[in-house]
Amino acid sequence: MESIGVLIVCPMNTYLEQELEKRFNLFKFWNFPDKTQFLNTHKNSIRAVVGNATAGADAELIEALPKLEIVASFSVGLDKVDLGKCKEKGIRVTNTPDVLTEDVADLAIGLSLAVLRRLCESDRYVRSGKWKKGDYKLTTKFTGKTVGIIGLGRIGMAIAKRAEAFSCPISYYSRTEKADLKYKYYPSVVELASNCHILIVACPLTEETRHIINREVIDALGPKGVLINIGRGPHVDEPELVSALVEGRLGGAGLDVFEHEPYVPEELFGLENVVLTPHVGSGTVETRKEMADLVLGNLEAHFLNKPLITPVV
Amino acid sequence: MEIGEDLPPKDLPEVLVIKPPPPMILFGDEFIAKKFKILKAWESPLPLDQFLTNYAHSVQAVLCSGASPISPQVLNLLPSLRLVVTASAGINHIDLPECRRRGIAVANSGNVLSEDGADAAVSLLIDVFRRISAADGYVKQGLWASRGDYPLASKLGGKRVGIVGLGNIGLQVAKRLEAFGCNILYNSRKKKPVSYPFFSDVCELAANSDALILCCGFTDQTRHMINREVLLALGKEGVIVNVGRGAIIDEKEMVQCLVQGEIAGAGLDVFENEPNIPKEFFTMDNVVLSPHAAVFTSESFLDLCELVVGNLEAFFSNKPLLSPVTDE
């Protein structure tokens, strides 16, 4: 398979890149300053694209690669892949579901705890050497708080299971109500936000869910409410979120994703009720290796004419 | 008529407070002063033993916390004492055998602080494994844009978590971590009716765990129970979380182990000599520190005030205490 051209669109994982290099003729997109020339030169040898949450295969790239057969994403989210275009051209698309579900759910709860209990702020306080005896501060209890989840797919369900262990009543919003669930369904995000203390975004990013967290939802969540985003940055109207937090109209936020990563609004840096992580939802050694193996497995299966492991298209 | 209702202040039952416990520092004494006459030793210019000799002769109840230990010396000056109420889960500041000997009942916070304690332990564990506080600092210093992606962390699911002390807090920790796919093991003074594997020796527990969470009380038996041997058994990938008392761990040894890479990280809410902590911690990004705040939430403190008053009311109306400390 060493003659098969595979284009990896951005740096994502050293192990994955090394393994791709061993098996295929790997092109690292970021090594070519003149992208147009690169594509013109190599368009007929590239049969696969490997993307991730940062960059994937948009219509322009797909059109520039006439021999493209498969897009394998090193992520579960496919908002950076033009799925319609792929379907149209018969290009296969795979992602990395299941292997990262637990890590992302763990982070959602970890962020919730860190925000409510001011863990990061406390850590900074102790490190400053300013801790004096009798210096007490009360934070907010996590156990028993109502948790509202947007999107009850694999990750949403895993978050619910964890929150239940803390006796948190669970409610959710989804495109359709799920049968046989003991969780309370709300037919709109605003209603969900009005009725929960911690609102967690866990749905895919699509045209419909862009800015699903808008001013109205933020107002409904309110000055005691907390927003946790482990989905995609564009789920949230970021300027609205920032002003709500700065003005105290929202109680707090735990954010792993942002509209223009790696740029994060600096107004958030000094807020002790805000915890920010650099898109590390699946960022563990164990999970990234499993994700890489899944990408490799899907590519191998495709080029050996075997059934794909985790196809979406 | 209920105790304390409509009685003028001088007829309210007396409760001695040597130093105000945290709820009193944060909320004032209103929650308790309506029903009891508070004898405030700390407000007097007299040295404590003089104060107690002069004013506490007929005091039957004392409200305390870690800041005001109930030692034999103190007990000697309280000949009428029948009840010690502590506004805490920990009771290491109370001479329990001496109280037993004198027929003095002891009440603590029962279960009202257990959920918070468990939440704090779990939050420290997740933070250490997933580097949440360190990553938050990375972003807030603008380093994501300038230095690039943050190093990979460690998955929580599938980790073997050894809980030291399976009382109220330990059990709540276990219940939470099971939902994250952790495998629970434990060590306790006695075996419990649970399905988790039991280890009678803490060193063996450490050898079979990826993380240790200390939820036990501080006693002569548990002082420096986590020593170099236990830490080495925990191993280079191992993490330790402490929401018990600082001195359960040999702190000097733990610092050495962290410096030498003999363990991978630590989440600590308590220290041997609070508020002084080893300065080596200040530059470690694999350590998460909190200022003995595991149970300091608004909700729990309101519950705690209610419980303290409830125990005192029960005592003065000859009813069973709400949260007596048993010998278990």
Side-chain angles (χ1 to χ4, degrees):
Chain A
M1 281 192 236
E2 283 108 353
S3 58
I4 298 175
V6 173
L7 174 67
I8 182 168
V9 294
C10 60
M12 54 187 78
N13 183 277
T14 314
Y15 164 74
L16 176 60
E17 288 155 34
Q18 283 167 351
E19 291 299 311
L20 285 169
E21 240 153 8
K22 280 186 206 161
R23 298 156 203 231
F24 304 105
N25 183 17
L26 185 68
F27 297 97
K28 294 179 181 174
F29 211 17
W30 60 95
N31 284 341
F32 299 91
D34 189 338
K35 302 272 187 289
T36 317
Q37 196 193 40
F38 161 77
L39 289 169
N40 268 330
T41 314
H42 296 282
K43 62 185 176 191
N44 287 318
S45 52
I46 293 172
R47 293 167 64 186
V49 163
V50 174
N52 69 353
T54 308
D58 58 11
E60 200 187 327
L61 183 65
I62 294 167
E63 287 295 354
L65 298 171
K67 307 288 187 186
L68 184 61
E69 295 168 24
I70 178 169
V71 176
S73 195
F74 184 66
S75 70
V76 67
L78 288 169
D79 44 287
K80 289 293 199 303
V81 179
D82 192 326
L83 295 172
K85 196 109 222 155
C86 289
K87 273 193 196 113
E88 189 192 300
K89 292 183 170 264
I91 297 169
R92 309 303 307 275
V93 179
T94 66
N95 62 350
T96 60
D98 296 313
V99 296
L100 48 66
T101 300
E102 292 180 339
D103 268 356
V104 178
D106 291 351
L107 184 68
I109 302 295
L111 285 170
S112 304
L113 281 162
V115 173
L116 261 65
R117 298 298 302 268
R118 298 288 193 267
L119 194 54
C120 309
E121 206 52 36
S122 299
D123 177 74
R124 265 189 284 278
Y125 169 68
V126 176
R127 268 167 214 276
S128 70
K130 293 197 188 123
W131 182 17
K132 289 186 297 291
K133 205 137 187 90
D135 219 351
Y136 301 116
K137 199 168 164 183
L138 294 177
T139 59
T140 304
K141 184 170 180 166
F142 176 63
T143 286
K145 290 293 185 292
T146 46
V147 170
I149 305 174
I150 300 175
L152 217 53
R154 288 170 291 246
I155 295 173
M157 288 293 283
I159 293 171
K161 176 179 166 199
R162 282 150 179 73
E164 278 190 295
F166 293 82
S167 309
C168 296
I170 310 290
S171 48
Y172 71 103
Y173 165 80
S174 201
R175 281 170 303 185
T176 51
E177 187 174 357
K178 314 238 172 206
D180 295 328
L181 264 191
K182 49 196 147 109
Y183 309 143
K184 184 160 170 62
Y185 172 73
Y186 285 96
S188 77
V189 179
V190 171
E191 275 177 86
L192 179 66
S194 306
N195 290 287
C196 70
H197 190 126
I198 302 166
L199 183 63
I200 307 184
V201 182
C203 59
L205 178 66
T206 64
E207 288 294 313
E208 292 77 40
T209 63
R210 189 179 176 277
H211 283 195
I212 197 171
I213 306 297
N214 55 20
R215 170 81 190 227
E216 207 192 342
V217 170
I218 292 169
D219 284 346
L221 197 46
K224 291 210 157 68
V226 172
L227 177 73
I228 304 292
N229 191 4
I230 44 85
R232 286 287 180 265
H235 274 129
V236 175
D237 183 336
E238 205 160 89
E240 283 291 352
L241 177 66
V242 171
S243 56
L245 286 165
V246 165
E247 293 165 23
R249 289 182 283 110
L250 181 62
L255 310 169
D256 187 48
V257 286
F258 307 86
E259 287 209 82
H260 307 288
E261 296 170 17
Y263 301 104
V264 177
E266 287 187 19
E267 299 95 312
L268 300 178
F269 288 4
L271 300 179
E272 67 161 58
N273 56 339
V274 172
V275 175
L276 307 169
T277 49
H279 203 150
V280 296
S282 63
T284 64
V285 171
E286 297 90 333
T287 293
R288 290 288 168 85
K289 177 161 190 303
E290 281 199 69
M291 287 165 65
D293 287 341
L294 200 43
V295 168
L296 295 164
N298 274 302
L299 288 173
E300 223 165 57
H302 172 75
F303 290 113
L304 292 175
N305 285 314
K306 294 205 182 113
L308 299 182
I309 309 173
T310 49
V312 172
V313 173
Chain B
M1 181 163 60
E2 296 240 13
I3 270 278
E5 239 180 24
D6 296 328
L7 283 176
K10 66 172 166 61
D11 291 335
L12 293 178
E14 242 181 3
V15 175
L16 170 68
V17 177
I18 295 172
K19 283 219 186 104
M24 208 174 263
I25 294 177
L26 285 160
F27 299 145
D29 64 7
E30 211 187 282
F31 73 97
I32 191 175
K34 281 187 278 205
K35 302 187 176 184
F36 303 98
K37 179 175 167 213
I38 309 301
L39 204 55
K40 297 179 180 176
W42 80 91
E43 285 189 344
S44 166
L46 294 174
L48 180 63
D49 46 354
Q50 190 72 56
F51 178 89
L52 295 181
T53 307
N54 291 4
Y55 301 108
H57 196 265
S58 50
V59 155
Q60 293 184 65
V62 63
L63 170 61
C64 67
S65 67
S68 49
I70 306 298
S71 63
Q73 292 73 26
V74 168
L75 291 170
N76 279 337
L77 295 166
L78 299 171
S80 309
L81 194 68
R82 311 237 45 73
L83 172 68
V84 174
V85 176
T86 179
S88 64
I91 51 171
N92 52 292
H93 54 289
I94 301 168
D95 191 330
L96 214 54
E98 197 53 39
C99 287
R100 295 270 180 261
R101 201 177 65 77
R102 297 170 188 234
I104 299 169
V106 179
N108 70 345
S109 60
N111 277 339
V112 304
L113 304 177
S114 302
E115 290 171 334
D116 268 351
D119 289 357
V122 171
S123 114
L124 284 166
L125 187 73
I126 301 177
D127 195 324
V128 177
F129 272 128
R130 296 296 298 271
R131 302 168 144 259
I132 296 178
S133 287
D136 175 68
Y138 187 75
V139 174
K140 288 179 176 171
Q141 289 168 74
L143 297 175
W144 190 15
S146 56
R147 278 198 207 160
D149 280 341
Y150 198 70
L152 295 180
S154 185
K155 181 174 175 158
L156 188 59
K159 291 283 193 295
R160 302 162 301 168
V161 178
I163 301 178
V164 180
L166 209 64
N168 296 325
I169 298 174
L171 274 170
Q172 298 277 358
V173 171
K175 174 183 159 206
R176 283 151 177 70
L177 289 179
E178 278 191 296
F180 291 81
C182 293
N183 297 306
I184 307 295
L185 325 162
Y186 76 104
N187 161 269
S188 211
R189 279 171 304 188
K190 286 191 295 229
K191 232 178 149 194
K192 307 268 175 173
V194 295
S195 57
Y196 314 131
F198 170 75
F199 287 81
S200 55
D201 173 54
V202 169
C203 217
E204 248 197 274
L205 179 71
N208 285 281
S209 302
D210 301 304
L212 281 183
I213 305 192
L214 309 185
C215 303
C216 55
F218 177 49
T219 65
D220 288 329
Q221 288 75 43
T222 63
R223 171 183 293 279
H224 283 195
M225 174 172 65
I226 308 301
N227 53 23
R228 187 172 175 83
E229 197 196 344
V230 172
L231 292 169
L232 291 180
L234 183 57
K236 295 192 196 299
E237 309 287 307
V239 163
I240 184 155
V241 168
N242 191 3
V243 294
R245 286 288 178 268
I248 297 170
I249 304 180
D250 183 337
E251 199 164 271
K252 272 215 196 85
E253 283 299 343
M254 175 176 54
V255 172
Q256 276 315 293
C257 285
L258 283 162
V259 167
Q260 292 158 0
E262 297 293 355
I263 61 170
L268 310 168
D269 185 52
V270 285
F271 307 85
E272 285 213 67
N273 189 24
E274 298 166 16
N276 304 306
I277 68 160
K279 54 178 165 28
E280 288 91 334
F281 286 153
F282 292 161
T283 50
M284 289 180 186
D285 70 351
N286 55 340
V287 165
V288 181
L289 311 166
S290 62
H292 201 148
V295 300
F296 278 68
T297 67
S298 315
E299 295 89 336
S300 289
F301 265 47
L302 287 172
D303 289 343
L304 183 57
C305 288
E306 225 181 278
L307 182 65
V308 160
V309 170
N311 272 303
L312 289 167
E313 283 184 316
F315 170 74
F316 284 111
S317 35
N318 288 314
K319 296 210 182 97
L321 294 175
L322 303 181
S323 51
V325 173
T326 57
D327 278 324
E328 193 263 324

